[in-house]
Amino acid sequence: MSCMCRFVPDEVLARLANNPKIKEFDRAAMQRTLAVDAEMRRLREVNAALTISSSMIAGLAPTLTKKPAIKLYDCKHGNVLPGTAVTSPQSSGDATIKRTYKNTGDVAKFFNKEFGRNSLDGQGMDLISSVHYGVKYNNAFWNGQQMTYGDGDGAIFVDFTLGNDVVGHELTHGLTQFTLQLVYSNEPGGLNESMSDVFGSMFRQWEANQTVTQADWLIGADIMGPSAKAQGFTCLRDMANPGSTKALSPQPSHYYGYHPGMDPHQSSGIPNNAFYRAATAIGGKSWQKAGKIWFKALTGYGPQPQMTMKQFANRTRSVAKQMYGANSTPDKAVDTAWKAVGL
Amino acid sequence: MTNPAETKVIKVEELGGFVGYGGAAHVRTQGEVNLDLIKPAERAEVEQLLKRGHAAQTTPGPRYRLSWHEGGRSCEIEVSREELTPTLLASLKTDLI
């Protein structure tokens, strides 16, 4: 259905356009406005029909397109991507390669089974990962085309592929790139990072078949090295308690802590905490209801690169109502969660 | 603009990627390079990089903030990992703070 919102309704314009008390020049202008309105209405209807058709085609696409191939490359501690292709990663003697192959395939399975998404682009695009990047490299990243993982220095961080939430996080950057296309700064940047933490954490819970109460809601807990642990750090970020002193990267958990220009890894604490609150209030397993609401809000409406946190919050509110009904537990949980973080 | 004669010490800091490293994080990956101590060819490459200006970040991948003092003011630019010269790259070290 197309929404037509005009400041002056057509029937009023038509009455005025035929009113002999109004000057001929003004009446002609109103007639032109009516003609433009009619054309706009026609174009909106065409647009709505095309959107419905493309949605139907997209719905069929997963069954018509190929399954994503999982491709592994070994950088052998160099800095050039993608590195050397690994021929049989599933049976590699290198634990990092074998683990990355499995975790990447599992993330693809998670998106497909729980959300009906065929790979990151919805059309089965191949998933490329490079491991052993750099020398003791303390990071992992999505560069717009592929995932890359460092081995960690063994002190502060260990091999980044040991964290299945790391793999889920990086792949979700790809999903965001093909859907909402959030820019990587200010509020959309924080939302972009949060999407990756939310689906990374959900994937970790899905692999362990945990309920929302069994989950620890920590990000990067499995890549903490001995030096970080010795200092009392248990994770990189904590979705349940973003300001935790045990997190290597504490974050604000309320919108009043946000300021323009804030690093996306900081501001993501706000929507991260909203997801945690919504999921735990709904109960069960995070991907069953809260995850479906977030997924639909991320993937179901086309690109909105400059989306603010408030706009995303309102979209999840609207999706929760559509999917589960007004005043349902998810509807109330989502609304309360966002209010609790100031949105 | 950069005046190579004044630019001596470049601070390099990694930002972004899964770790992020920015804001209130208790972990930093950073390094420092004294341009007087590197080979002339590489120094020229670094000075060229400093003249290039700021590049907008378009992906969540890592980027590197280069900062230095020049003419009594602080200057900084952000570059990709591919743009770091071998000495700038080798200077990076991760520490808890």
Side-chain angles (χ1 to χ4, degrees):
Chain A
M1 198 202 312
S2 60
C3 168
M4 284 171 281
C5 310
R6 291 182 297 280
F7 193 72
V8 182
D10 280 354
E11 54 273 22
V12 176
L13 263 181
R15 248 196 336 269
L16 293 171
N18 291 317
N19 187 339
K21 291 179 187 168
I22 295 176
K23 283 183 197 165
E24 178 63 32
F25 178 83
D26 294 334
R27 283 194 289 150
M30 286 172 203
Q31 290 288 2
R32 284 196 298 275
T33 304
L34 276 169
V36 169
D37 272 3
E39 182 60 10
M40 291 289 286
R41 194 158 48 243
R42 192 187 68 77
L43 288 172
R44 277 193 203 101
E45 280 161 9
V46 169
N47 181 43
L50 286 172
T51 305
I52 292 165
S53 304
S54 62
S55 304
M56 288 167 70
I57 292 164
L60 290 172
T63 57
L64 299 174
T65 51
K66 68 182 184 69
K67 279 180 72 177
I70 313 297
K71 296 181 176 173
L72 262 290
Y73 290 81
D74 188 347
C75 291
K76 299 178 180 176
H77 310 293
N79 290 297
V80 180
L81 291 173
T84 306
V86 178
T87 46
S88 300
Q90 64 275 30
S91 54
S92 172
D94 181 318
T96 298
I97 290 172
K98 202 170 172 178
R99 179 169 49 242
T100 307
Y101 179 84
K102 183 192 176 298
N103 281 336
T104 306
D106 285 353
V107 174
K109 208 179 294 173
F110 171 64
F111 283 145
N112 197 300
K113 184 167 180 266
E114 302 302 337
F115 307 109
R117 182 85 181 176
N118 187 12
S119 190
L120 308 180
D121 63 349
Q123 294 180 41
M125 75 176 270
D126 293 345
L127 300 174
I128 300 168
S129 304
S130 296
V131 299
H132 300 310
Y133 179 73
V135 178
K136 297 184 175 182
Y137 183 54
N138 278 324
N139 220 338
F141 61 90
W142 163 261
N143 70 354
Q145 283 140 2
Q146 67 156 96
M147 285 70 66
T148 304
Y149 304 94
D151 291 333
D153 60 6
I156 297 171
F157 294 109
V158 293
D159 186 342
F160 278 69
T161 67
L162 285 166
N164 56 5
D165 54 347
V166 181
V167 179
H169 175 109
E170 296 312 331
L171 280 156
T172 305
H173 277 307
L175 181 63
T176 301
Q177 180 179 309
F178 283 102
T179 53
L180 261 186
Q181 299 179 13
L182 295 163
V183 297
Y184 204 71
S185 60
N186 296 319
E187 293 199 33
L191 276 176
N192 192 325
E193 266 308 309
S194 176
M195 295 302 159
S196 285
D197 277 354
V198 162
F199 285 94
S201 174
M202 235 188 294
F203 171 62
R204 183 163 172 258
Q205 295 170 31
W206 183 77
E207 287 270 86
N209 196 28
Q210 289 174 329
T211 64
V212 291
T213 49
Q214 290 167 330
D216 62 16
W217 296 93
L218 303 178
I219 301 292
D222 304 319
I223 57 160
M224 290 294 108
S227 306
K229 286 180 181 171
Q231 296 287 318
F233 295 112
T234 59
C235 62
L236 194 54
R237 297 180 281 274
D238 183 342
M239 294 177 69
N241 179 16
S244 169
T245 54
K246 293 180 177 178
L248 260 180
S249 191
Q251 305 167 291
S253 57
H254 194 280
Y255 190 65
Y256 64 60
Y258 172 80
H259 61 79
M262 188 175 233
D263 187 295
H265 295 82
Q266 298 287 294
S267 56
S268 58
I270 302 159
N272 276 2
N273 193 240
F275 181 79
Y276 159 78
R277 286 171 182 274
T280 49
I282 293 168
K285 289 166 178 167
S286 61
W287 59 90
Q288 290 172 333
K289 286 184 180 169
K292 295 222 172 10
I293 295 166
W294 254 245
F295 186 84
K296 174 78 176 168
L298 170 65
T299 65
Y301 297 84
Q304 195 171 336
Q306 300 291 344
M307 191 174 222
T308 63
M309 291 188 188
K310 181 75 175 173
Q311 286 171 330
F312 185 78
N314 286 341
R315 180 173 286 177
T316 60
R317 285 181 169 108
S318 140
V319 170
K321 271 192 181 58
Q322 283 167 22
M323 289 176 88
Y324 301 103
N327 293 318
S328 60
T329 301
D331 173 35
K332 288 188 273 189
V334 167
D335 182 51
T336 307
W338 284 112
K339 279 181 181 153
V341 302
L343 288 161
Chain B
M1 288 300 289
T2 308
N3 178 353
E6 292 183 64
T7 307
K8 300 287 184 197
V9 177
I10 309 295
K11 188 180 170 193
V12 195
E13 186 179 7
E14 180 168 337
L15 298 165
F18 179 76
V19 177
Y21 287 113
H26 299 294
V27 62
R28 290 275 188 272
T29 288
Q30 53 196 6
E32 233 175 51
V33 171
N34 185 332
L35 296 188
D36 285 344
L37 304 178
I38 63 175
K39 289 180 180 167
E42 188 176 357
R43 177 175 182 143
E45 206 181 326
V46 174
E47 285 169 349
Q48 199 59 39
L49 190 59
L50 303 186
K51 284 179 193 164
R52 199 214 54 190
H54 204 86
Q57 188 192 9
T58 55
T59 74
R63 62 203 189 279
Y64 295 83
R65 181 184 294 151
L66 306 184
S67 52
W68 68 98
H69 291 284
E70 184 181 313
R73 64 192 176 95
S74 300
C75 306
E76 64 175 49
I77 60 166
E78 283 180 15
V79 302
S80 68
R81 189 171 175 92
E82 293 73 32
E83 292 173 294
L84 294 180
T85 66
T87 308
L88 291 175
L89 192 59
S91 74
L92 292 166
K93 189 175 175 297
T94 307
D95 290 300
L96 293 173
I97 54 168

